[in-house]
Amino acid sequence: MKKLMITQEAGVATVLIKNPPVNILTIDLINELNAFILSLKDDRETKIVVFKSFHEAFFIAHLDLNVINGTSGGQAASIEFNHMIANIKAMKQLSIAVVDGVARGGGNEFVMACDLAYGTENSAFAQPELYINIPTGGQGAVQFARRLGKGKALQALLTGADFTAQQAETLNIITQFVLKAELDAFLAQLLSIIVGWEIRDIVMYKEIIAASIKDEAVGTELELRYFLERAKEEKTQAIIAAFLKHGGQTEREANDMQGIFVDTAVELSK
């Protein structure tokens, strides 16, 4: 039985993860996720992938404990889990985790692999692997170190304590805390903006940000290269001309910048 329920609409693929009883990352689910993610490699129509859970209490519980052993099969499954995390991070599309439940261990690592992550008041995030005598296996410690810093990462990993969504936002584990009652409206507005861009726009900024995190000078060079290349495009010049026509670089920008953008888009759609 398939564990992913995928719907596609206007450039957005919504992936409902359904692996009862509690969305454990079993090898079957990992393989299905990997197959779906890799199928998007040459897809330029899909711009955003939203991951959600069928379960009202869990987003993804954690990696299947049955594969954490010294057997060749268990090690292969654990390596595939690691590949899945890398595959999510390598996607061209913008990946979004919408978390309305518990995400611990591999579940939290899945969340951190996504480009954006939103958590409600019902969500919890943790890396409690040490309680079963293992370290994190899907970049959990790596991401905690990079996001939280040495002291907070050590404390989080050595205690395995849950973080609320508000705490997770403060620590950069997730992008933002959003009340469940406001989640649908929040996502609709966010997606309506991002889906308007081309897939190359998403790729461009993902590349610049990734390079900048590693090396500021490399990121600066890449950003300038993109800037100079885009400046030469006919599309860029047409947008600038329309933008100036409708009040760009005038006092209208002070309180109606969005209006100028709207008028510019209308002009270009004629």
Side-chain angles (χ1 to χ4, degrees):
M1 182 180 293
K2 288 192 173 183
K3 303 180 184 301
L4 302 180
M5 300 174 66
I6 302 167
T7 56
Q8 297 196 348
E9 183 180 357
V12 180
T14 301
V15 181
L16 185 69
I17 303 171
K18 188 174 184 180
N19 191 24
V22 294
N23 271 3
I24 295 293
L25 278 166
T26 58
I27 187 58
D28 289 342
L29 176 56
I30 291 167
N31 286 339
E32 197 170 333
L33 281 162
N34 271 329
F36 169 70
I37 293 164
L38 293 175
S39 76
L40 297 173
K41 185 177 180 181
D42 298 318
D43 183 344
R44 297 198 169 273
E45 298 302 316
T46 302
K47 302 173 185 179
I48 306 168
V49 178
V50 179
F51 293 102
K52 296 182 176 182
S53 169
F54 87 102
H55 203 289
E56 62 183 21
F58 289 90
F59 175 69
I60 293 174
H62 48 73
L63 180 63
D64 183 5
L65 298 184
N66 293 305
V67 307
I68 302 175
N69 55 52
T71 68
S72 58
Q75 290 182 332
S78 298
I79 290 169
E80 281 307 303
F81 163 65
N82 203 274
H83 288 166
M84 182 196 72
I85 296 296
N87 288 337
I88 295 170
K89 292 175 68 176
M91 290 169 63
K92 293 196 306 287
Q93 292 78 11
L94 187 74
S95 55
I96 302 177
V98 179
V99 187
D100 186 38
V102 172
R104 297 191 184 102
N108 188 53
E109 289 167 322
F110 184 105
V111 170
M112 292 193 293
C114 292
D115 297 312
L116 304 178
Y118 301 99
T120 72
E121 64 273 22
N122 301 321
S123 60
F125 307 86
Q127 299 290 164
E129 285 85 350
L130 206 53
Y131 285 97
I132 58 167
N133 198 43
I134 57 170
T136 54
Q139 302 182 26
V142 175
Q143 290 301 318
F144 270 17
R146 293 170 66 83
R147 297 169 188 231
L148 279 60
K150 178 184 176 181
K152 287 184 171 62
L154 273 172
Q155 177 174 282
L157 293 164
L158 291 173
T159 64
D162 282 353
F163 291 115
T164 65
Q166 295 98 319
Q167 291 172 321
E169 176 186 350
T170 301
L171 295 169
N172 289 321
I173 295 170
I174 64 172
T175 311
Q176 191 173 331
F177 161 64
V178 182
L179 287 169
K180 184 174 182 176
E182 300 172 3
L183 186 59
D184 288 345
F186 173 85
L187 286 173
Q189 182 180 23
L190 177 76
L191 298 179
S192 70
I193 296 170
I194 297 173
V195 81
W197 306 123
E198 297 178 55
I199 190 73
R200 68 175 189 145
D201 298 326
I202 296 169
V203 170
M204 175 181 68
Y205 266 136
K206 288 177 74 163
E207 288 181 354
I208 292 171
I209 290 169
S212 300
I213 289 172
K214 293 178 182 177
D215 188 313
E216 183 177 348
V218 173
T220 299
E221 183 180 343
L222 180 61
E223 181 188 65
L224 179 59
R225 186 160 73 246
Y226 266 120
F227 183 92
L228 296 175
E229 289 173 355
R230 291 285 191 109
K232 295 185 292 186
E233 293 181 7
E234 289 183 12
K235 177 181 178 179
T236 303
Q237 295 308 310
I239 292 173
I240 290 173
F243 182 80
L244 293 173
K245 177 181 176 180
H246 291 283
Q249 297 190 173
T250 71
E251 291 186 3
R252 186 183 179 190
E253 284 192 9
N255 52 28
D256 192 26
M257 192 69 157
Q258 288 301 315
I260 302 175
F261 286 140
V262 169
D263 291 344
T264 298
V266 171
E267 168 94 10
L268 295 170
S269 67
K270 293 178 182 177

